Amino acid sequence: MKPLVWLLLCALCLPSPPVLAQAPQRVNRCTNAQGETVFTDRRCDAVGATSRLPPRTASVGNTGIYRAGCARRLSELTGQIRDAVSAQDVNRLSSIYLWSNVSNATANHIIGRLESVVQRPLVDIAPVYPESAPVMVDPALAAAGPESAPSRPRPIGLRIEQTLGSTATPARTVFGLRRQYGCFWITL
């Protein structure tokens, strides 16, 4: 009986075999030579395309503490969104949300939605333009030449393309854009 107990105790002390976990799939949004959008699980250059993900911006310091500045350009705002989603930091994302005139109940609902956004892998951030907005051209600009006339309307939102967890199932969130205090802010 003692040898059997001793053998069982030795078996319990042995390391267990490693459990192979499946790595989550990443979906890349790429643009091919014809300008078409291609979604793939491979690297963009492997399918003859280029990446559409906004470039990563440097965060402030190496302290791990993030202090967002005022996003005066849309590219800065998209960089802050991308950094918040990459870090899965809802506080960072909420720092660029326009909270004016939001009740406590609504704020809790919004934080829940922002939390779900930062938990999903990011595929792309794209501007949203008004569907049919006539381009207003100032007669003085039109007389100056076509290069000074506006070519397209200003974006009214940002579309966040993501996937659900480790699947390839697409998820989309559209943030509204507001310009207030000289900065760009997001709204839901």
Side-chain angles (χ1 to χ4, degrees):
M1 179 76 175
K2 284 186 178 185
L4 182 59
V5 171
W6 180 252
L7 187 61
L8 285 174
L9 284 175
C10 287
L12 289 175
C13 293
L14 291 175
S16 62
V19 177
L20 299 176
Q22 184 177 4
Q25 289 182 329
R26 178 180 170 158
V27 177
N28 295 311
R29 180 176 180 176
C30 310
T31 303
N32 65 13
Q34 293 77 29
E36 299 169 335
T37 300
V38 178
F39 291 95
T40 180
D41 59 348
R42 298 186 294 172
R43 292 186 3 241
C44 291
D45 57 357
V47 294
T50 58
S51 177
R52 283 277 322 254
L53 192 60
R56 181 172 203 137
T57 58
S59 29
V60 179
N62 289 331
T63 61
I65 299 171
Y66 179 79
R67 165 121 169 53
C70 172
R72 297 190 187 277
R73 294 188 316 240
L74 197 55
S75 60
E76 293 172 358
L77 184 69
T78 58
Q80 289 176 355
I81 293 170
R82 192 205 46 74
D83 287 345
V85 173
S86 295
Q88 294 185 337
D89 189 350
V90 71
N91 291 325
R92 190 181 289 189
L93 187 59
S94 69
S95 72
I96 57 176
Y97 192 87
L98 186 61
W99 292 102
S100 60
N101 298 325
V102 175
S103 69
N104 286 344
T106 304
N108 286 332
H109 176 71
I110 290 169
I111 283 290
R113 289 186 62 192
L114 295 177
E115 179 69 38
S116 66
V117 167
V118 299
Q119 294 302 318
R120 297 188 296 248
L122 182 64
V123 175
D124 190 32
I125 301 174
V128 175
Y129 294 98
E131 295 220 7
S132 61
V135 177
M136 298 296 192
V137 179
D138 184 4
L141 290 176
E147 63 275 349
S148 57
S151 60
R152 62 181 174 184
R154 292 184 180 192
I156 60 170
L158 291 174
R159 186 179 65 242
I160 312 300
E161 300 286 348
Q162 297 177 289
T163 58
L164 294 177
S166 62
T167 68
T169 306
R172 175 180 290 171
T173 303
V174 178
F175 290 120
L177 283 178
R178 294 276 310 268
R179 188 154 177 97
Q180 193 166 342
Y181 313 119
C183 303
F184 280 105
W185 303 91
I186 58 173
T187 61
L188 281 172

CSV table of all heavy atoms in Angstrom, one decimal, residues 9-71:
chain,number,residue,atom,x,y,z
A,9,LEU,N,1.9,10.1,-5.1
A,9,LEU,CA,2.4,11.4,-4.7
A,9,LEU,C,3.5,11.9,-5.7
A,9,LEU,O,3.6,13.1,-6.0
A,9,LEU,CB,3.0,11.3,-3.3
A,9,LEU,CG,2.0,11.3,-2.1
A,9,LEU,CD1,2.7,11.1,-0.8
A,9,LEU,CD2,1.2,12.6,-2.1
A,10,CYS,N,4.3,11.0,-6.2
A,10,CYS,CA,5.3,11.4,-7.1
A,10,CYS,C,4.7,11.8,-8.5
A,10,CYS,O,5.1,12.7,-9.1
A,10,CYS,CB,6.3,10.2,-7.4
A,10,CYS,SG,7.4,9.9,-6.0
A,11,ALA,N,3.6,11.1,-8.8
A,11,ALA,CA,2.9,11.5,-10.1
A,11,ALA,C,2.3,12.9,-10.0
A,11,ALA,O,2.2,13.6,-10.9
A,11,ALA,CB,1.9,10.4,-10.4
A,12,LEU,N,1.8,13.2,-8.8
A,12,LEU,CA,1.2,14.5,-8.6
A,12,LEU,C,2.3,15.7,-8.6
A,12,LEU,O,2.0,16.8,-9.0
A,12,LEU,CB,0.5,14.6,-7.3
A,12,LEU,CG,-0.8,13.8,-7.2
A,12,LEU,CD1,-1.4,13.8,-5.8
A,12,LEU,CD2,-1.8,14.3,-8.2
A,13,CYS,N,3.5,15.3,-8.3
A,13,CYS,CA,4.5,16.4,-8.3
A,13,CYS,C,5.1,16.6,-9.7
A,13,CYS,O,5.8,17.6,-9.9
A,13,CYS,CB,5.7,15.9,-7.3
A,13,CYS,SG,5.1,15.9,-5.6
A,14,LEU,N,4.9,15.7,-10.6
A,14,LEU,CA,5.4,15.9,-12.0
A,14,LEU,C,4.7,17.1,-12.6
A,14,LEU,O,3.5,17.3,-12.4
A,14,LEU,CB,5.2,14.7,-12.8
A,14,LEU,CG,6.0,13.4,-12.4
A,14,LEU,CD1,5.6,12.2,-13.2
A,14,LEU,CD2,7.5,13.7,-12.6
A,15,PRO,N,5.4,17.9,-13.4
A,15,PRO,CA,4.8,19.0,-14.1
A,15,PRO,C,3.7,18.5,-15.1
A,15,PRO,O,3.9,17.4,-15.7
A,15,PRO,CB,5.9,19.7,-14.8
A,15,PRO,CG,7.0,18.7,-14.9
A,15,PRO,CD,6.8,17.7,-13.8
A,16,SER,N,2.7,19.2,-15.2
A,16,SER,CA,1.6,18.8,-16.2
A,16,SER,C,2.0,19.2,-17.6
A,16,SER,O,2.8,20.1,-17.8
A,16,SER,CB,0.3,19.5,-15.8
A,16,SER,OG,0.4,20.9,-15.9
A,17,PRO,N,1.5,18.5,-18.6
A,17,PRO,CA,1.9,18.8,-20.0
A,17,PRO,C,1.3,20.2,-20.3
A,17,PRO,O,0.3,20.6,-19.8
A,17,PRO,CB,1.2,17.7,-20.8
A,17,PRO,CG,0.1,17.2,-19.9
A,17,PRO,CD,0.6,17.4,-18.5
A,18,PRO,N,2.0,21.0,-21.1
A,18,PRO,CA,1.5,22.3,-21.5
A,18,PRO,C,0.2,22.2,-22.3
A,18,PRO,O,0.0,21.4,-23.1
A,18,PRO,CB,2.6,22.9,-22.3
A,18,PRO,CG,3.4,21.7,-22.9
A,18,PRO,CD,3.2,20.6,-21.9
A,19,VAL,N,-0.6,23.2,-22.0
A,19,VAL,CA,-1.9,23.3,-22.7
A,19,VAL,C,-1.7,24.3,-23.8
A,19,VAL,O,-1.3,25.4,-23.6
A,19,VAL,CB,-3.0,23.8,-21.7
A,19,VAL,CG1,-4.3,24.0,-22.5
A,19,VAL,CG2,-3.2,22.9,-20.5
A,20,LEU,N,-2.0,23.8,-25.0
A,20,LEU,CA,-1.8,24.6,-26.2
A,20,LEU,C,-3.1,25.5,-26.4
A,20,LEU,O,-4.1,25.0,-26.7
A,20,LEU,CB,-1.5,23.8,-27.4
A,20,LEU,CG,-0.3,22.9,-27.3
A,20,LEU,CD1,-0.1,22.1,-28.6
A,20,LEU,CD2,1.0,23.8,-27.2
A,21,ALA,N,-2.9,26.8,-26.2
A,21,ALA,CA,-4.0,27.7,-26.4
A,21,ALA,C,-3.9,28.2,-27.8
A,21,ALA,O,-2.8,28.5,-28.3
A,21,ALA,CB,-4.0,28.8,-25.4
A,22,GLN,N,-5.1,28.4,-28.5
A,22,GLN,CA,-5.1,28.9,-29.8
A,22,GLN,C,-4.9,30.5,-29.7
A,22,GLN,O,-5.6,31.1,-28.9
A,22,GLN,CB,-6.4,28.6,-30.5
A,22,GLN,CG,-6.4,29.1,-31.9
A,22,GLN,CD,-7.7,28.6,-32.6
A,22,GLN,OE1,-8.6,28.1,-32.0
A,22,GLN,NE2,-7.8,28.9,-33.9
A,23,ALA,N,-4.0,31.0,-30.4
A,23,ALA,CA,-3.8,32.4,-30.4
A,23,ALA,C,-4.9,33.1,-31.1
A,23,ALA,O,-5.5,32.6,-32.1
A,23,ALA,CB,-2.5,32.8,-31.2
A,24,PRO,N,-5.3,34.3,-30.6
A,24,PRO,CA,-6.4,35.0,-31.2
A,24,PRO,C,-6.1,35.4,-32.6
A,24,PRO,O,-4.9,35.8,-32.9
A,24,PRO,CB,-6.7,36.2,-30.3
A,24,PRO,CG,-5.5,36.3,-29.5
A,24,PRO,CD,-4.8,35.0,-29.5
A,25,GLN,N,-7.0,35.3,-33.5
A,25,GLN,CA,-6.8,35.7,-34.9
A,25,GLN,C,-6.9,37.2,-35.0
A,25,GLN,O,-7.7,37.9,-34.4
A,25,GLN,CB,-7.8,35.1,-35.8
A,25,GLN,CG,-7.6,33.6,-36.1
A,25,GLN,CD,-8.7,33.1,-37.0
A,25,GLN,OE1,-9.8,33.6,-37.1
A,25,GLN,NE2,-8.3,32.1,-37.8
A,26,ARG,N,-6.0,37.8,-35.8
A,26,ARG,CA,-6.0,39.2,-36.0
A,26,ARG,C,-6.5,39.5,-37.4
A,26,ARG,O,-6.0,38.8,-38.4
A,26,ARG,CB,-4.6,39.8,-35.8
A,26,ARG,CG,-4.6,41.3,-36.1
A,26,ARG,CD,-3.2,41.8,-35.9
A,26,ARG,NE,-3.2,43.2,-36.4
A,26,ARG,CZ,-2.4,44.1,-36.1
A,26,ARG,NH1,-1.4,43.8,-35.2
A,26,ARG,NH2,-2.4,45.3,-36.6
A,27,VAL,N,-7.4,40.4,-37.6
A,27,VAL,CA,-7.9,40.8,-38.9
A,27,VAL,C,-7.2,42.1,-39.3
A,27,VAL,O,-7.3,43.1,-38.6
A,27,VAL,CB,-9.4,40.9,-38.9
A,27,VAL,CG1,-9.9,41.3,-40.3
A,27,VAL,CG2,-10.0,39.6,-38.5
A,28,ASN,N,-6.6,42.1,-40.5
A,28,ASN,CA,-5.9,43.3,-40.9
A,28,ASN,C,-6.8,43.9,-42.1
A,28,ASN,O,-7.3,43.2,-42.9
A,28,ASN,CB,-4.5,43.0,-41.5
A,28,ASN,CG,-3.6,42.5,-40.4
A,28,ASN,OD1,-3.5,43.1,-39.3
A,28,ASN,ND2,-2.9,41.4,-40.6
A,29,ARG,N,-6.9,45.3,-42.0
A,29,ARG,CA,-7.6,46.0,-43.1
A,29,ARG,C,-6.5,46.6,-44.0
A,29,ARG,O,-5.7,47.3,-43.5
A,29,ARG,CB,-8.5,47.0,-42.6
A,29,ARG,CG,-9.2,47.8,-43.7
A,29,ARG,CD,-10.2,48.8,-43.2
A,29,ARG,NE,-10.8,49.4,-44.4
A,29,ARG,CZ,-11.8,50.3,-44.3
A,29,ARG,NH1,-12.2,50.6,-43.1
A,29,ARG,NH2,-12.3,50.8,-45.3
A,30,CYS,N,-6.5,46.2,-45.3
A,30,CYS,CA,-5.4,46.6,-46.2
A,30,CYS,C,-6.0,47.3,-47.4
A,30,CYS,O,-7.2,47.1,-47.7
A,30,CYS,CB,-4.6,45.4,-46.6
A,30,CYS,SG,-4.1,44.3,-45.3
A,31,THR,N,-5.2,48.0,-48.1
A,31,THR,CA,-5.6,48.6,-49.4
A,31,THR,C,-4.7,48.1,-50.5
A,31,THR,O,-3.5,48.2,-50.4
A,31,THR,CB,-5.5,50.2,-49.3
A,31,THR,OG1,-6.3,50.6,-48.2
A,31,THR,CG2,-6.0,50.8,-50.5
A,32,ASN,N,-5.3,47.5,-51.5
A,32,ASN,CA,-4.5,46.9,-52.6
A,32,ASN,C,-4.2,48.0,-53.6
A,32,ASN,O,-4.5,49.2,-53.4
A,32,ASN,CB,-5.2,45.7,-53.2
A,32,ASN,CG,-6.5,46.1,-53.9
A,32,ASN,OD1,-6.8,47.3,-54.2
A,32,ASN,ND2,-7.3,45.1,-54.3
A,33,ALA,N,-3.5,47.7,-54.7
A,33,ALA,CA,-3.0,48.6,-55.7
A,33,ALA,C,-4.1,49.3,-56.4
A,33,ALA,O,-3.9,50.4,-56.9
A,33,ALA,CB,-2.1,47.9,-56.7
A,34,GLN,N,-5.3,48.7,-56.5
A,34,GLN,CA,-6.4,49.3,-57.1
A,34,GLN,C,-7.2,50.2,-56.2
A,34,GLN,O,-8.2,50.8,-56.6
A,34,GLN,CB,-7.4,48.2,-57.7
A,34,GLN,CG,-6.8,47.4,-58.8
A,34,GLN,CD,-5.8,46.3,-58.3
A,34,GLN,OE1,-5.9,45.8,-57.2
A,34,GLN,NE2,-4.8,46.0,-59.2
A,35,GLY,N,-6.8,50.3,-55.0
A,35,GLY,CA,-7.5,51.2,-54.0
A,35,GLY,C,-8.6,50.5,-53.3
A,35,GLY,O,-9.4,51.2,-52.6
A,36,GLU,N,-8.8,49.2,-53.5
A,36,GLU,CA,-9.9,48.5,-52.8
A,36,GLU,C,-9.5,48.0,-51.4
A,36,GLU,O,-8.3,47.7,-51.2
A,36,GLU,CB,-10.3,47.3,-53.7
A,36,GLU,CG,-10.7,47.6,-55.1
A,36,GLU,CD,-10.9,46.4,-55.9
A,36,GLU,OE1,-10.2,45.4,-55.7
A,36,GLU,OE2,-11.7,46.4,-56.9
A,37,THR,N,-10.4,48.0,-50.5
A,37,THR,CA,-10.2,47.5,-49.2
A,37,THR,C,-10.2,46.0,-49.1
A,37,THR,O,-11.1,45.4,-49.7
A,37,THR,CB,-11.2,48.1,-48.2
A,37,THR,OG1,-11.1,49.5,-48.3
A,37,THR,CG2,-11.0,47.6,-46.8
A,38,VAL,N,-9.2,45.4,-48.5
A,38,VAL,CA,-9.1,43.9,-48.4
A,38,VAL,C,-8.9,43.6,-46.9
A,38,VAL,O,-8.1,44.2,-46.2
A,38,VAL,CB,-7.8,43.4,-49.1
A,38,VAL,CG1,-7.7,41.9,-49.0
A,38,VAL,CG2,-7.9,43.8,-50.6
A,39,PHE,N,-9.7,42.7,-46.4
A,39,PHE,CA,-9.6,42.2,-45.0
A,39,PHE,C,-9.0,40.8,-45.1
A,39,PHE,O,-9.4,40.0,-45.8
A,39,PHE,CB,-11.0,42.1,-44.4
A,39,PHE,CG,-11.6,43.4,-44.1
A,39,PHE,CD1,-12.5,44.0,-45.0
A,39,PHE,CD2,-11.3,44.1,-43.0
A,39,PHE,CE1,-13.1,45.2,-44.8
A,39,PHE,CE2,-11.9,45.4,-42.7
A,39,PHE,CZ,-12.8,45.9,-43.6
A,40,THR,N,-7.9,40.6,-44.3
A,40,THR,CA,-7.2,39.4,-44.3
A,40,THR,C,-6.6,39.1,-42.9
A,40,THR,O,-6.4,40.0,-42.1
A,40,THR,CB,-6.1,39.4,-45.3
A,40,THR,OG1,-5.4,38.2,-45.3
A,40,THR,CG2,-5.1,40.5,-45.1
A,41,ASP,N,-6.4,37.8,-42.7
A,41,ASP,CA,-5.7,37.4,-41.4
A,41,ASP,C,-4.2,37.3,-41.6
A,41,ASP,O,-3.5,37.1,-40.7
A,41,ASP,CB,-6.3,36.1,-40.9
A,41,ASP,CG,-6.1,34.9,-41.9
A,41,ASP,OD1,-5.7,35.2,-43.0
A,41,ASP,OD2,-6.3,33.8,-41.5
A,42,ARG,N,-3.7,37.5,-42.8
A,42,ARG,CA,-2.3,37.6,-43.1
A,42,ARG,C,-1.8,39.0,-43.1
A,42,ARG,O,-2.6,40.0,-43.0
A,42,ARG,CB,-2.0,36.9,-44.4
A,42,ARG,CG,-2.4,35.5,-44.5
A,42,ARG,CD,-2.0,34.8,-45.7
A,42,ARG,NE,-2.7,35.4,-46.9
A,42,ARG,CZ,-2.5,35.1,-48.1
A,42,ARG,NH1,-1.5,34.2,-48.4
A,42,ARG,NH2,-3.1,35.6,-49.1
A,43,ARG,N,-0.5,39.2,-43.1
A,43,ARG,CA,0.1,40.5,-43.2
A,43,ARG,C,-0.3,41.2,-44.5
A,43,ARG,O,-0.5,40.5,-45.5
A,43,ARG,CB,1.6,40.5,-43.1
A,43,ARG,CG,2.1,40.1,-41.7
A,43,ARG,CD,3.6,40.1,-41.5
A,43,ARG,NE,4.4,40.7,-42.6
A,43,ARG,CZ,5.3,40.0,-43.2
A,43,ARG,NH1,5.5,38.7,-42.9
A,43,ARG,NH2,6.0,40.5,-44.2
A,44,CYS,N,-0.5,42.5,-44.5
A,44,CYS,CA,-0.9,43.2,-45.7
A,44,CYS,C,0.0,43.0,-46.9
A,44,CYS,O,-0.4,42.8,-48.0
A,44,CYS,CB,-1.1,44.7,-45.4
A,44,CYS,SG,-2.5,45.0,-44.4
A,45,ASP,N,1.4,43.1,-46.6
A,45,ASP,CA,2.3,42.9,-47.7
A,45,ASP,C,2.3,41.5,-48.3
A,45,ASP,O,2.8,41.3,-49.4
A,45,ASP,CB,3.7,43.4,-47.3
A,45,ASP,CG,4.2,42.6,-46.0
A,45,ASP,OD1,3.5,41.8,-45.5
A,45,ASP,OD2,5.4,42.9,-45.6
A,46,ALA,N,1.8,40.5,-47.5
A,46,ALA,CA,1.8,39.2,-48.0
A,46,ALA,C,0.7,39.0,-49.1
A,46,ALA,O,0.8,38.1,-49.9
A,46,ALA,CB,1.5,38.2,-46.9
A,47,VAL,N,-0.3,39.9,-49.2
A,47,VAL,CA,-1.3,39.9,-50.2
A,47,VAL,C,-1.1,41.0,-51.2
A,47,VAL,O,-2.1,41.3,-51.9
A,47,VAL,CB,-2.7,39.9,-49.6
A,47,VAL,CG1,-3.0,38.6,-48.8
A,47,VAL,CG2,-3.0,41.1,-48.7
A,48,GLY,N,0.0,41.7,-51.2
A,48,GLY,CA,0.3,42.7,-52.1
A,48,GLY,C,-0.5,44.0,-51.8
A,48,GLY,O,-0.9,44.7,-52.7
A,49,ALA,N,-0.6,44.4,-50.6
A,49,ALA,CA,-1.4,45.5,-50.2
A,49,ALA,C,-0.6,46.3,-49.1
A,49,ALA,O,0.4,45.8,-48.6
A,49,ALA,CB,-2.8,45.1,-49.7
A,50,THR,N,-1.2,47.4,-48.7
A,50,THR,CA,-0.6,48.2,-47.6
A,50,THR,C,-1.6,48.3,-46.5
A,50,THR,O,-2.8,48.3,-46.7
A,50,THR,CB,-0.2,49.6,-48.1
A,50,THR,OG1,-1.4,50.3,-48.6
A,50,THR,CG2,0.9,49.6,-49.1
A,51,SER,N,-1.1,48.5,-45.2
A,51,SER,CA,-1.9,48.6,-44.1
A,51,SER,C,-2.7,49.9,-44.0
A,51,SER,O,-2.3,50.9,-44.4
A,51,SER,CB,-1.1,48.5,-42.8
A,51,SER,OG,-1.9,48.6,-41.6
A,52,ARG,N,-4.0,49.8,-43.5
A,52,ARG,CA,-4.8,51.0,-43.3
A,52,ARG,C,-4.9,51.4,-41.9
A,52,ARG,O,-5.6,52.4,-41.6
A,52,ARG,CB,-6.3,50.6,-43.8
A,52,ARG,CG,-6.5,50.6,-45.3
A,52,ARG,CD,-6.7,52.0,-45.8
A,52,ARG,NE,-7.5,52.8,-45.0
A,52,ARG,CZ,-8.7,53.2,-45.2
A,52,ARG,NH1,-9.4,52.7,-46.2
A,52,ARG,NH2,-9.4,54.0,-44.4
A,53,LEU,N,-4.3,50.7,-41.0
A,53,LEU,CA,-4.4,51.1,-39.6
A,53,LEU,C,-3.6,52.4,-39.4
A,53,LEU,O,-2.5,52.6,-39.8
A,53,LEU,CB,-3.9,50.0,-38.7
A,53,LEU,CG,-4.1,50.1,-37.2
A,53,LEU,CD1,-5.6,50.1,-36.9
A,53,LEU,CD2,-3.5,49.0,-36.5
A,54,PRO,N,-4.2,53.4,-38.6
A,54,PRO,CA,-3.5,54.6,-38.4
A,54,PRO,C,-2.1,54.4,-37.7
A,54,PRO,O,-2.0,53.5,-36.9
A,54,PRO,CB,-4.4,55.4,-37.5
A,54,PRO,CG,-5.7,54.8,-37.6
A,54,PRO,CD,-5.5,53.4,-38.0
A,55,PRO,N,-1.1,55.2,-38.1
A,55,PRO,CA,0.2,55.0,-37.4
A,55,PRO,C,0.2,55.2,-35.9
A,55,PRO,O,-0.6,56.0,-35.5
A,55,PRO,CB,1.1,56.0,-38.1
A,55,PRO,CG,0.2,57.0,-38.7
A,55,PRO,CD,-1.1,56.3,-38.9
A,56,ARG,N,1.0,54.5,-35.2
A,56,ARG,CA,1.0,54.6,-33.8
A,56,ARG,C,1.8,55.9,-33.4
A,56,ARG,O,2.8,56.1,-33.9
A,56,ARG,CB,1.7,53.4,-33.2
A,56,ARG,CG,1.8,53.4,-31.7
A,56,ARG,CD,2.3,52.1,-31.1
A,56,ARG,NE,1.8,52.1,-29.8
A,56,ARG,CZ,1.3,51.0,-29.2
A,56,ARG,NH1,1.3,49.9,-29.8
A,56,ARG,NH2,0.9,51.1,-28.0
A,57,THR,N,1.2,56.6,-32.5
A,57,THR,CA,1.8,57.8,-32.0
A,57,THR,C,2.5,57.5,-30.7
A,57,THR,O,2.1,56.6,-30.0
A,57,THR,CB,0.8,58.9,-31.8
A,57,THR,OG1,-0.2,58.5,-30.8
A,57,THR,CG2,0.1,59.3,-33.0
A,58,ALA,N,3.5,58.3,-30.4
A,58,ALA,CA,4.3,58.0,-29.2
A,58,ALA,C,3.5,58.5,-28.0
A,58,ALA,O,2.9,59.6,-28.0
A,58,ALA,CB,5.6,58.8,-29.2
A,59,SER,N,3.4,57.8,-26.9
A,59,SER,CA,2.8,58.2,-25.7
A,59,SER,C,3.7,59.1,-24.9
A,59,SER,O,4.9,59.1,-25.1
A,59,SER,CB,2.2,57.1,-24.9
A,59,SER,OG,2.9,55.9,-25.0
A,60,VAL,N,3.1,59.8,-24.0
A,60,VAL,CA,3.9,60.8,-23.2
A,60,VAL,C,4.7,60.1,-22.1
A,60,VAL,O,4.2,59.5,-21.2
A,60,VAL,CB,2.9,61.8,-22.5
A,60,VAL,CG1,3.7,62.8,-21.7
A,60,VAL,CG2,2.1,62.5,-23.6
A,61,GLY,N,6.0,60.2,-22.2
A,61,GLY,CA,6.9,59.6,-21.2
A,61,GLY,C,6.9,58.1,-21.2
A,61,GLY,O,6.1,57.4,-21.9
A,62,ASN,N,7.7,57.5,-20.4
A,62,ASN,CA,7.7,56.1,-20.2
A,62,ASN,C,7.2,55.7,-18.8
A,62,ASN,O,7.5,54.6,-18.3
A,62,ASN,CB,9.2,55.5,-20.4
A,62,ASN,CG,9.6,55.6,-21.8
A,62,ASN,OD1,8.7,55.5,-22.7
A,62,ASN,ND2,10.8,55.7,-22.1
A,63,THR,N,6.5,56.6,-18.2
A,63,THR,CA,6.1,56.3,-16.8
A,63,THR,C,4.8,55.4,-16.7
A,63,THR,O,4.5,55.0,-15.6
A,63,THR,CB,5.7,57.7,-16.1
A,63,THR,OG1,4.7,58.3,-16.8
A,63,THR,CG2,6.9,58.6,-16.1
A,64,GLY,N,4.2,55.2,-17.8
A,64,GLY,CA,3.0,54.4,-17.8
A,64,GLY,C,1.7,55.2,-17.5
A,64,GLY,O,0.6,54.8,-17.6
A,65,ILE,N,2.0,56.5,-17.2
A,65,ILE,CA,0.9,57.4,-16.9
A,65,ILE,C,0.6,58.2,-18.2
A,65,ILE,O,1.5,58.7,-18.9
A,65,ILE,CB,1.2,58.4,-15.8
A,65,ILE,CG1,1.5,57.6,-14.5
A,65,ILE,CG2,0.1,59.4,-15.6
A,65,ILE,CD1,2.0,58.5,-13.4
A,66,TYR,N,-0.6,58.2,-18.7
A,66,TYR,CA,-1.0,58.8,-19.9
A,66,TYR,C,-1.7,60.1,-19.7
A,66,TYR,O,-2.6,60.2,-18.9
A,66,TYR,CB,-1.9,57.9,-20.7
A,66,TYR,CG,-2.3,58.5,-22.0
A,66,TYR,CD1,-1.4,58.5,-23.1
A,66,TYR,CD2,-3.5,59.1,-22.2
A,66,TYR,CE1,-1.8,59.0,-24.3
A,66,TYR,CE2,-3.9,59.7,-23.4
A,66,TYR,CZ,-3.0,59.6,-24.4
A,66,TYR,OH,-3.4,60.2,-25.6
A,67,ARG,N,-1.2,61.2,-20.3
A,67,ARG,CA,-1.9,62.5,-20.2
A,67,ARG,C,-2.1,62.9,-21.7
A,67,ARG,O,-1.2,63.3,-22.4
A,67,ARG,CB,-0.9,63.5,-19.5
A,67,ARG,CG,-1.4,64.9,-19.7
A,67,ARG,CD,-1.7,65.5,-18.4
A,67,ARG,NE,-1.9,67.0,-18.5
A,67,ARG,CZ,-2.7,67.6,-19.2
A,67,ARG,NH1,-3.4,67.0,-20.1
A,67,ARG,NH2,-2.8,68.9,-19.2
A,68,ALA,N,-3.4,62.9,-22.1
A,68,ALA,CA,-3.7,63.3,-23.4
A,68,ALA,C,-3.8,64.8,-23.5
A,68,ALA,O,-4.3,65.5,-22.6
A,68,ALA,CB,-5.1,62.7,-23.8
A,69,GLY,N,-3.2,65.3,-24.6
A,69,GLY,CA,-3.4,66.7,-24.9
A,69,GLY,C,-4.6,66.9,-25.7
A,69,GLY,O,-5.4,66.0,-26.0
A,70,CYS,N,-4.9,68.1,-25.9
A,70,CYS,CA,-6.1,68.5,-26.7
A,70,CYS,C,-5.9,68.1,-28.1
A,70,CYS,O,-4.9,68.5,-28.7
A,70,CYS,CB,-6.3,70.0,-26.5
A,70,CYS,SG,-7.6,70.7,-27.6
A,71,ALA,N,-6.8,67.3,-28.7
A,71,ALA,CA,-6.6,66.9,-30.1
A,71,ALA,C,-7.1,68.0,-31.0
A,71,ALA,O,-8.3,68.2,-31.2
A,71,ALA,CB,-7.4,65.6,-30.3
